Amino acid sequence: MEQAVLQLIKEGAVKKHIRKATVHYKNKRDFVFELLKKHMKDLADFTLPEGGLAFWIVPKVQLDWDVVTALLLEKNIKIIHPKQYSQNKVNGFRLSYGALSEEQLEQSIPLIAEIFSKFF
């Protein structure tokens, strides 16, 4: 096994895969950023992450996260409740995009925006 991995490294397969994955996830990150700007710019703050596969979304008003998570679940969107991030009150959530298709993102981000807008 070690010899096989060493051979892949020597042949440049690992570097090639890393370059390909980096381009793929950068494009996906940029795609999500455009969706967020289109649907949520007036509802929440977010910044383009330099690394990782998630955005931190902070609504511009305090939300009732018990209600938000329930409403999202009705739309088949599951998020980690913000209380899981800290013992202090957190008004935001982590939007992970790595495992979602562009189609799923195009469908879910407008739904999240629709639910957020109910609190404005």
Side-chain angles (χ1 to χ4, degrees), residues 39-40 42-44 59-61 63 68 71-72 109-120:
H39 297 286
M40 298 192 67
D42 296 329
L43 304 170
K60 294 187 184 223
V61 298
L63 301 185
V68 170
L71 290 171
L72 287 171
I109 290 174
L111 292 173
I112 294 168
E114 176 187 319
I115 289 168
F116 274 27
S117 69
K118 294 178 183 202
F119 293 86
F120 284 77

Side-chain angles (χ1 to χ4, degrees), residues 54-120:
F55 283 83
W56 186 253
I57 310 295
V58 180
K60 294 187 184 223
V61 298
Q62 181 65 45
L63 301 185
D64 181 335
W65 287 99
D66 292 331
V67 173
V68 170
T69 55
L71 290 171
L72 287 171
L73 204 51
E74 288 175 9
K75 305 274 187 187
N76 293 319
I77 300 171
K78 184 172 182 180
I79 65 166
I80 296 173
H81 195 294
K83 69 182 175 188
Q84 300 299 318
Y85 297 114
S86 173
Q87 291 180 356
N88 301 322
K89 195 168 192 173
V90 174
N91 188 43
F93 78 103
R94 184 175 181 267
L95 175 65
S96 179
Y97 60 85
L100 300 173
S101 69
E102 287 187 358
E103 181 181 344
Q104 289 171 311
L105 291 161
E106 285 177 314
Q107 293 170 355
S108 62
I109 290 174
L111 292 173
I112 294 168
E114 176 187 319
I115 289 168
F116 274 27
S117 69
K118 294 178 183 202
F119 293 86
F120 284 77

